[in-house]
Amino acid sequence: KLGGTHILTNHDAFATHACDIPILKSLLLDTRIEMFSKNRPLKDILEKNKSRINDLENYPEVPADGDFNLTEELPSAEFADS
């Protein structure tokens, strides 16, 4: 999918050549869908660390899933189409 596309990443920052922005947008959207459609990161962290939590009864519950649509593109001034 990338072909000759060059993408620079650093933690949660991404950069590419202007001509490759549509490819980067598509990759980021696909990755977000893949990461969060099958996983619940907060629940996973809680499950992995239950043995370390001293007062599990008073520990906050993992928030319920909302109605956010993972496939929807989010508005962003930094990622605006030209």
Side-chain angles (χ1 to χ4, degrees), residues 29 32-33 36-37 64-75:
L29 180 60
R32 181 179 74 200
I33 292 168
F36 294 108
S37 63
D65 290 338
D67 58 358
F68 178 71
N69 181 354
L70 288 171
T71 63
E72 188 176 298
E73 284 195 40
L74 301 176

Side-chain angles (χ1 to χ4, degrees), residues 51-65:
S51 63
R52 299 178 185 190
I53 300 170
N54 294 329
D55 189 9
L56 196 56
E57 287 183 20
N58 293 316
Y59 201 79
E61 291 185 30
V62 174
D65 290 338

Side-chain angles (χ1 to χ4, degrees), residues 38-55:
K38 302 173 194 163
N39 301 315
R40 298 212 38 220
L42 293 177
K43 185 176 181 181
D44 293 344
I45 291 169
L46 176 62
E47 292 299 321
K48 290 177 183 174
N49 291 288
K50 273 187 174 179
S51 63
R52 299 178 185 190
I53 300 170
N54 294 329
D55 189 9

